[in-house]
Amino acid sequence: MISLEFLLLGVAVMLLLSVISSKASTQLGVPTLVLFLLIGMLAGSDGPGGIEFNNPWMAQYLGTVALIFILFAGGLDTKWKEVKPVLWQGAVLATLGVILTAIIVGYAAYYVLDFSLLEAMLLAAIISSTDAAAVFSILRSKHISLKGDLRPLLELESGSNDPMAIFLTTSLIGLIIGDVSTPTALLPMFAQQMALGAVFGYIMGRGMAIIINRIRLDYRGLYPLLTTSLVMLAYALTASLGGNGFLAVYLAGLGLGKHSFIHKRSLIDDHDSLAWLMQIAMFLTLGLLVFPSQLLPVVGIGLFICSVLMFLARPMAVLICLLPFRRIPIKERVMISWVGLRGSVPIILATFPLVSGVQKADMIFNVVFFVVLTSVLVQGSSIPFFARRLGLDAPLALLPEPPEGVAGKEGWEPLVKLKVLSGSSADGKQIADLNLPDDTWIAVLRREGHPIRPGGSTILKGGDRLSVQSSGASLDLLRSLVEKKEIPADGGQAGHQET
């Protein structure tokens, strides 16, 4: 029996090493997930750590919980204005692109490997989704970004394609073990899961913003707990009613991020930290679950699958999906084809066959693990080179963070002085309810000569003087809210009737 002190010591050491390794990741240009996995593998039974761990059920449960908060944080941090112009491209890549990738890789595995067609398709479905976090961590380490709509398109695709990969994986497992009778039975199941996931995600996104702004908690530290509980509610409620809970939490995050709400900047940071904790815990667990000695026999299979994925399946899927969008230059299509890194989701999904008792689950898990590592190391290390060669690299913009306001900030502008007019649209309303643009924030509020640092729950009053950072159309919108009186619903005729 391991003592509590020894258990906490082991957890603390691995967590500390993982956090410190993120710095090494930046220096080496290697995604942090690889280092997290390596730490887990070294701590496992095949490594010097010698920790015995062979519990795929625990790994699956932890992976599911981790995915919930990772997807929500990704949606919350996604800027709607940036992804809106590429919404359809991203949606097609996240759905049809995943299906095409799985079909191509699946048939290649079926004809070459000793797999049944369903087993080959299951392997392909597990590795069909992409991970933008790995891509952008590499780009950040090299201090470069991507031009045009490439970044928001890749963010949208990678953030929204996991639900499709999860659906394909669970459906194929159902066909293999007999829980699903025929492939045609999957069509109504797919429609139900995606429809309910989209509806509940939209409702929860709007509902979260209303709840956060209306509940007015007395303690700032309770707001992260509030949003955490709402995220779990969104997933559990959607999944219990037959919907896709992962799609729901991603859309809920995306929907919440579109609105202004109390403590927005700090809550985004809180969920980013929670997502990092989930990733570290998940990768360490998955690293413990894998046995490095079992990877050697699947090197040949893994290299074959990875080659098909990188050089055939992903490029063909991108080419077909983007055919209707003729305005996308060929060099951007090439870049999108190459930036198809596999990440955390495939390794988590590889635990599903283990738990379900699929015959070749052990081989599938080891092949997936090898493919993910190869994809990240080979494709990941070459992304900056390809971006420069294609002329799609751009300097990484490092903008200072202004003091916290209600909405996000895109850059610095001179402070503008405004006065709240009694009877204006802003009079008597919370700042969060004004839905200020992302490039607008209120730095200082003066009331009766006393300076106040405003937050999202601050209620504006007539006579308040504001020091605002904004410009252009955003500043004009704010002026109209604070300096123009609202027109009564009767058009201002009340009280002026003839007598």
Side-chain angles (χ1 to χ4, degrees):
M1 183 68 177
I2 300 176
S3 67
L4 177 62
E5 293 79 7
F6 186 77
L7 178 62
L8 290 176
L9 177 62
V11 171
V13 169
M14 287 195 292
L15 183 60
L16 180 62
L17 288 175
S18 299
V19 173
I20 294 174
S21 70
S22 65
K23 185 65 176 179
S25 168
T26 303
Q27 300 296 327
L28 299 174
V30 178
T32 51
L33 71 89
V34 174
L35 299 179
F36 296 162
L37 287 171
L38 291 177
I39 292 172
M41 292 167 66
L42 291 173
S45 56
D46 275 4
I51 299 175
E52 293 286 345
F53 181 79
N54 189 20
N55 192 333
W57 292 270
M58 182 181 294
Q60 185 190 35
Y61 292 150
L62 177 60
T64 300
V65 174
L67 268 179
I68 291 170
F69 290 103
I70 291 170
L71 288 173
F72 177 78
L76 184 62
D77 200 37
T78 298
K79 296 177 177 60
W80 173 250
K81 288 183 179 180
E82 293 183 4
V83 301
K84 187 177 180 180
V86 295
L87 182 62
W88 288 110
Q89 297 95 307
V92 173
L93 286 171
T95 52
L96 180 60
V98 170
I99 295 173
L100 290 174
T101 300
I103 290 174
I104 296 170
V105 174
Y107 272 107
Y110 172 65
Y111 284 115
V112 174
L113 308 179
D114 185 24
F115 278 27
S116 69
L117 181 59
L118 286 179
E119 290 170 342
M121 288 296 172
L122 174 59
L123 170 63
I126 289 173
I127 58 175
S128 59
S129 66
T130 60
D131 186 358
V135 175
F136 296 121
S137 66
I138 295 172
L139 292 174
R140 280 195 300 270
S141 69
K142 300 298 183 182
H143 304 290
I144 62 175
S145 184
L146 298 176
K147 289 182 178 179
D149 292 331
L150 275 177
R151 182 184 179 90
L153 176 56
L154 291 170
E155 283 184 339
L156 179 61
E157 178 205 2
S158 299
S160 57
N161 65 9
D162 295 333
M164 176 60 75
I166 294 168
F167 172 79
L168 292 177
T169 300
T170 54
S171 299
L172 286 164
I173 291 175
L175 287 171
I176 291 173
I177 65 178
D179 288 349
V180 180
S181 56
T182 61
T184 55
L186 297 175
L187 296 177
M189 187 189 306
F190 172 78
Q192 173 184 314
Q193 286 199 16
M194 295 303 166
L196 289 177
V199 170
F200 278 99
Y202 175 79
I203 293 173
M204 288 301 297
R206 292 184 63 87
M208 284 181 185
I210 295 173
I211 292 172
I212 293 170
N213 287 335
R214 292 291 179 268
I215 198 168
R216 301 182 66 81
L217 297 173
D218 294 328
Y219 301 100
R220 158 70 185 86
L222 291 177
Y223 279 95
L225 301 181
L226 172 65
T227 53
T228 298
S229 64
L230 292 174
V231 173
M232 292 189 291
L233 178 64
Y235 174 83
L237 184 62
T238 306
S240 62
L241 294 176
N244 191 305
F246 296 104
L247 178 62
V249 294
Y250 176 75
L251 293 180
L254 186 62
L256 178 61
K258 290 171 56 180
H259 295 86
S260 295
F261 55 89
I262 295 171
H263 303 303
K264 181 173 184 178
R265 184 68 260 168
S266 59
L267 282 174
I268 291 176
D269 291 339
D270 291 337
H271 279 280
D272 184 56
S273 297
L274 180 58
W276 273 108
L277 177 61
M278 291 291 103
Q279 287 191 75
I280 292 173
M282 177 181 64
F283 288 134
L284 290 177
T285 303
L286 293 172
L288 289 171
L289 187 63
V290 73
F291 295 89
S293 59
Q294 297 179 4
L295 294 180
L296 294 177
V298 301
V299 169
I301 297 174
L303 288 175
F304 169 74
I305 296 297
C306 203
S307 298
V308 172
L309 183 63
M310 290 190 296
F311 300 110
L312 181 63
R314 172 69 178 180
M316 287 187 65
V318 171
L319 176 65
I320 294 172
C321 290
L322 296 183
L323 278 176
F325 308 100
R326 302 185 182 277
R327 296 181 60 183
I328 301 178
I330 185 64
K331 62 181 182 179
E332 292 189 6
R333 297 171 191 253
V334 172
M335 192 66 194
I336 295 170
S337 299
W338 188 246
V339 183
L341 271 69
R342 312 299 116 172
S344 57
V345 176
I347 304 179
I348 295 172
L349 293 183
T351 64
F352 284 40
L354 291 172
V355 172
S356 302
V358 174
Q359 185 176 0
K360 295 185 178 179
D362 288 329
M363 178 177 287
I364 290 174
F365 180 84
N366 291 326
V367 170
V368 169
F369 200 95
F370 183 87
V371 167
V372 170
L373 288 179
T374 305
S375 170
V376 171
L377 291 174
V378 175
Q379 288 180 288
S381 60
S382 61
I383 285 174
F385 170 77
F386 272 94
R388 292 189 183 97
R389 292 288 294 179
L390 293 171
L392 296 174
D393 62 313
L396 184 64
L398 298 174
L399 298 175
E401 283 287 332
E404 179 181 327
V406 177
K409 285 75 65 177
E410 299 297 330
W412 290 96
E413 296 289 344
L415 290 177
V416 179
K417 306 291 185 181
L418 299 176
K419 182 178 179 180
V420 179
L421 185 65
S422 296
S424 66
S425 300
D427 187 14
K429 289 186 179 179
Q430 292 185 128
I431 293 177
D433 293 331
L434 300 180
N435 290 319
L436 300 180
D438 286 349
D439 59 352
T440 298
W441 63 283
I442 301 173
V444 179
L445 182 154
R446 287 186 174 273
R447 180 172 295 164
E448 298 178 354
H450 300 289
I452 300 174
R453 182 177 177 182
S457 60
T458 304
I459 298 177
L460 298 178
K461 296 181 179 180
D464 287 347
R465 298 183 179 274
L466 311 177
S467 297
V468 179
Q469 188 176 83
S470 186
S471 63
S474 299
L475 180 58
D476 293 339
L477 173 62
L478 183 57
R479 285 187 188 278
S480 68
L481 292 173
V482 303
E483 294 183 347
K484 292 183 180 179
K485 289 190 176 183
E486 287 190 298
I487 301 175
D490 59 6
Q493 300 302 315
H496 297 280
Q497 300 170 345
E498 290 186 0
T499 59

